[in-house]
Amino acid sequence: NAGVTQTPKFRVLKTGQSMTLLCAQDMNHEYMYWYRQDPGMGLRLIHYSVGEGTTAKGEVPDGYNVSRLKKQNFLLGLESAAPSQTSVYFCASRLLGGSDTEAFFGQGTRLTVV
Amino acid sequence: KQEVTQIPAALSVPEGENLVLNCSFTDSAIYNLQWFRQDPGKGLTSLLLIQSSQREQTSGRLNASLDKSSGRSTLYIAASQPGDSATYLCAYKDMRFGAGTRLTVKP
């Protein structure tokens, strides 16, 4: 039982490059989330999905796009990376949203944009 | 706008002390509230989930309470140990997080 798996774990990008982060869960969860974590700022929600084929904006969506073509996968894309996007990115999933279900997190992706 | 505040931002205690971490939120119409632990360089691990119909949850030396009327939750850690050293975060409703409390338990 892998839980929530993030790929890659580390990445260095040059300004203007693009990349996609993959989040995969094997728990048949409906809700999935992408966060970024910066020193002293806790976790900020970028985008989330309430089911296959759906996505919604969180607190800090600018500069990111997401897709949920398959229920088990939630992709986070950076079309033109900027140094301000240097951060640690976390993915999470839960069976249902807003209510009585536990959330599970991946181990994070450390992204540096130079 | 939903806001979550955690106080204190950092806490250092000697081993064996009982301690309380606080989490407050602006939206009183909450659903559930979840407490997490994060070790340096790691992801978040769920500690306790308090459902909206509950007032508290317990797991081992941890006890979390929820007071919807005052918009507060507390995480009580009994007989703290050096292995409890980590950052503790709370999240509620739409998975909005506080900035966390960094706990250090000194041997």
Side-chain angles (χ1 to χ4, degrees), chain B residues 3-4 7 9 16 24-26 36 45 53-54 62 65 70 76 78 82 84 87-88 94 97-98 106:
Chain B
E3 290 189 356
V4 183
I7 296 173
S24 61
F25 38 88
T26 56
F36 295 87
T45 301
S53 59
Q54 300 174 320
L62 305 180
S65 66
S70 64
Y76 175 81
D84 294 330
T87 297
Y88 292 80
D94 299 333
F97 280 82
K106 298 179 179 179

Side-chain angles (χ1 to χ4, degrees), chain B residues 14-94:
Chain B
E15 181 177 4
E17 273 204 6
N18 302 325
L19 57 99
V20 174
L21 307 180
N22 297 291
C23 172
S24 61
F25 38 88
T26 56
D27 186 350
S28 61
I30 70 165
Y31 293 88
N32 64 25
L33 189 137
Q34 193 167 1
W35 281 93
F36 295 87
R37 167 185 174 139
Q38 185 178 30
D39 294 291
K42 304 292 186 181
L44 280 70
T45 301
S46 176
L47 295 174
L48 290 166
L49 171 66
I50 311 175
Q51 298 180 5
S52 57
S53 59
Q54 300 174 320
R55 291 184 62 85
E56 65 179 286
Q57 277 281 6
T58 299
S59 176
R61 294 182 294 106
L62 305 180
N63 175 275
S65 66
L66 177 61
D67 184 342
K68 290 184 287 184
S69 62
S70 64
R72 292 174 58 185
S73 176
T74 60
L75 178 65
Y76 175 81
I77 302 177
S80 58
Q81 303 172 357
D84 294 330
S85 297
T87 297
Y88 292 80
L89 300 103
C90 63
Y92 87 117
K93 199 174 178 181
D94 299 333

